[in-house]
Amino acid sequence: MSNMTIVGAQWGDEGKGKIVDLLTSEVDMVVRFQGGNNAGHTVIVDGTKYVLHVVPSGILHPGKMCIIGNGVVLDPESFLEEIDALQSLGLDVSPERLKISYKTHLILPYHRAIDGAREGKAKAKIGTTGRGIGPCYEDKKSRVGVRAGDLTDPEVLRAKIERALEEKNVLFTQLYGMPALDPQTVFDDLMAIAPRLVPYLADASSLIMEADAAGKSIMFEGAQGVMLDIDHGTYPFVTSSNVVCDNASIGSGVHAGMIDQRIAIVKAYTTRVGSGPFPTELFDDMGEFLRRQGGEYGATTGRPRRCGWLDLVVLREMIRLCDPTTMALTKVDVLSGLKEIKLCVAYEYEGKVMKYPPQTPRGLDNSKPVYEVLPGWDEDLSGCTDWDSLPRNCRRYIERIEELLGVKAGYISVGPDRNQTFRR
Ligand code: GDP
Ligand code: IMO
Ligand code: MG
């Protein structure tokens, strides 16, 4: 199998972790290329539930190499908690098979503090995960960030923390009414865990390129979803990294030509966590039905996810930006038991019918979904193992989506377990 990128097609939580886990059996290496522990990727294997935040979901397959790329932001404390939890479930998370790029930026206590204080004070809250993701990427772009490789040079590390806190302590004390953070304490706390982190550091870019040159297969695992992309999503209600497929190369340090397959993970309906426009959102019993049937509560923060019908306008935008070679359609089983299913095929915006999201600042807020209504089905799908075993109306729903988007659903997922997925 060749090299591929897995990307979330909507606003996150499409089931990326599940599909990455499934396809890991066919690759040799899995690389996370953006985001941080704002992500929550749930994988269920034989009834055991694993929730991955920054560790690639490929870790569940013994012997596969997993890499945290330069495009990720890594919270050292949270990373150690995550690997401890995985280890207690019997997984090998040793530095022999899990690597962190020297260039990965570290999320430090002051990033979390800024994230929390800013959201607390804001009138129009973004509804971030509070993990310090945005402030860490800000420091990276401002060139005052601390990178994982700095852990090997205490003097450089101390100077960087001191420099960062010079500015941030003014914010804390004068704007947010909080106590200043002591650079020495931040430094000491980090140095105390550095011996556990340093063995994981590696020249990730070279490792990936060497694996490719040796004929190995690599999967690039995305977090979040295209509508949360910092440039192309529903700005400012987005995350702070590029989510689109092509960031896989920048976020891992490989050239784009190395990746030839792009798999978009599409949930059979739409969800969103946090604030921001969501044209097909349902505020009635139907929304509650999807939340209950789909267990739509955040894997990272436990927040109830906002739920709505599948939005093909959003998916057309994703296709325009990512050109997926195939789609994986997940959570189709959740729609069982509905008399009718609505599919948003376009928006009505300022009297016009739009097939793509309007690009004006408040375009999405003022867009009304145009729906096509399809017949539902009652059958439980959780035991379906191939296309022919799906009820006729379910196949019609999937075929209509494919027809309107011009992309095939190469994988269909009908339950949370690793086994509950089949290929077309
Ligand atoms: P990710 O962030 O894209 O990896 O997705 P999450 O793990 O946050 O959310 C997806 C949720 O749906 C998880 O709880 C999965 O266990 C679950 N899930 C994934 N695929 C399916 C499916 O086909 N059917 C059902 N019922 N649940 C699924
Ligand atoms: P996975 O990988 C769903 C959302 C947050 C918020 C916005 C900004 O599990 O699909 P941030 O903390 O990133 O600054 O928050 O982005 N968000 C996610 N929503 N799934 C995710 O990840 C998300 N990661 C961030 O809810 O609206
Ligand atoms: Mg998630």
Side-chain angles (χ1 to χ4, degrees):
M1 211 174 189
S2 46
N3 301 329
M4 70 183 89
T5 300
I6 304 281
V7 72
Q10 295 145 317
W11 279 282
D13 304 324
E14 298 89 352
K16 297 175 291 292
K18 186 196 151 160
I19 303 295
V20 168
D21 167 68
L22 179 82
L23 296 180
T24 297
S25 58
E26 299 173 19
V27 302
D28 302 290
M29 182 183 262
V30 182
V31 185
R32 260 288 295 271
F33 60 89
Q34 48 72 233
N37 57 329
N38 48 350
H41 299 174
T42 308
V43 184
I44 298 178
V45 185
D46 297 332
T48 303
K49 178 171 160 176
Y50 304 88
V51 183
L52 287 317
H53 294 290
V54 74
V55 173
S57 305
I59 201 81
L60 305 188
H61 291 253
K64 305 286 166 137
M65 185 67 113
C66 290
I67 298 206
I68 296 174
N70 57 274
V72 171
V73 285
L74 182 94
D75 183 320
E77 289 170 36
S78 157
F79 168 74
L80 292 178
E81 279 167 25
E82 187 172 339
I83 58 169
D84 286 345
L86 293 172
Q87 198 162 30
S88 70
L89 290 168
L91 295 175
D92 172 12
V93 287
S94 65
E96 279 65 51
R97 63 173 300 223
L98 176 60
K99 307 280 183 195
I100 301 168
S101 167
Y102 285 115
K103 297 178 180 173
T104 302
H105 277 252
L106 298 184
I107 302 176
L108 296 178
Y110 44 83
H111 297 126
R112 291 193 297 267
I114 294 177
D115 197 357
R118 211 181 255 161
E119 281 281 285
K121 221 175 154 65
K123 280 204 188 79
K125 296 187 198 314
I126 291 168
T128 71
T129 58
R131 300 295 191 264
I133 305 294
C136 182
Y137 278 117
E138 273 169 50
D139 277 5
K140 171 176 175 173
K141 295 282 163 141
S142 304
R143 293 153 294 178
V144 294
V146 175
R147 305 207 288 185
D150 296 330
L151 292 170
T152 61
D153 191 333
E155 282 325 299
V156 168
L157 180 68
R158 182 200 299 273
K160 287 191 169 185
I161 292 172
E162 281 170 0
R163 165 134 191 249
L165 275 176
E166 262 171 35
E167 267 183 20
K168 288 174 181 50
N169 276 336
V170 177
L171 278 182
F172 291 144
T173 53
Q174 299 194 15
L175 184 65
Y176 297 131
M178 291 160 55
L181 291 186
D182 174 24
Q184 187 64 40
T185 309
V186 174
F187 172 76
D188 289 343
D189 289 350
L190 197 50
M191 284 315 291
I193 55 175
R196 285 196 68 196
L197 296 162
V198 168
Y200 288 93
L201 302 184
D203 174 358
S205 160
S206 296
L207 285 178
I208 304 168
M209 289 206 204
E210 281 159 22
D212 180 62
K216 303 220 158 119
S217 251
I218 301 141
M219 176 162 30
F220 298 86
E221 174 181 3
Q224 289 82 52
V226 167
M227 283 294 125
L228 288 170
D229 182 280
I230 181 78
D231 284 283
H232 303 290
T234 47
Y235 192 89
F237 302 101
V238 293
T239 191
S240 297
S241 61
N242 283 111
V243 175
V244 293
C245 283
D246 287 347
N247 193 35
S249 65
I250 299 167
S252 331
V254 305
H255 56 85
M258 225 176 87
I259 308 170
D260 45 10
Q261 284 197 61
R262 297 166 298 283
I263 305 180
I265 315 302
V266 177
K267 193 179 318 202
Y269 49 96
T270 312
T271 62
R272 166 161 212 172
V273 200
S275 323
F278 179 177
T280 63
E281 183 168 12
L282 293 163
F283 299 94
D284 54 7
D285 289 351
M286 187 52 70
E288 194 45 48
F289 173 90
L290 293 173
R291 186 155 36 247
R292 202 179 50 245
Q293 296 291 113
E296 296 297 353
Y297 294 88
T300 296
T301 58
R303 292 178 289 177
R305 295 174 182 152
R306 300 158 63 192
C307 297
W309 296 117
L310 187 63
D311 186 338
L312 298 189
V313 179
V314 157
L315 295 181
R316 278 192 203 99
E317 181 71 348
M318 174 280 292
I319 291 167
R320 196 175 71 85
L321 294 164
C322 294
D323 187 26
T325 43
T326 191
M327 295 187 291
L329 193 63
T330 63
K331 304 193 89 159
V332 188
D333 55 301
V334 173
L335 298 175
S336 288
L338 295 173
K339 244 190 167 40
E340 292 181 331
I341 299 175
K342 289 188 182 172
L343 196 53
C344 169
V345 295
Y347 293 158
E348 193 189 302
Y349 172 70
E350 294 185 338
K352 293 192 290 275
V353 174
M354 312 274 292
K355 288 198 153 180
Y356 290 89
Q359 299 294 330
T360 49
R362 286 202 259 172
L364 232 57
D365 288 322
N366 298 310
S367 294
K368 296 248 171 318
V370 177
Y371 287 118
E372 197 172 287
V373 181
L374 285 96
W377 61 88
D378 277 328
E379 294 89 335
D380 172 15
L381 305 189
S382 59
C384 292
T385 50
D386 59 18
W387 179 247
D388 292 332
S389 58
L390 291 175
R392 197 166 73 95
N393 285 348
C394 177
R395 280 182 274 149
R396 261 171 82 177
Y397 179 65
I398 298 170
E399 281 168 346
R400 186 65 183 141
I401 295 167
E402 294 177 327
E403 186 180 19
L404 288 165
L405 295 177
V407 181
K408 284 275 171 205
Y411 302 87
I412 313 274
S413 174
V414 291
D417 203 273
R418 188 187 270 174
N419 303 327
Q420 293 174 300
T421 317
F422 59 85
R423 261 170 226 267
R424 288 279 288 293

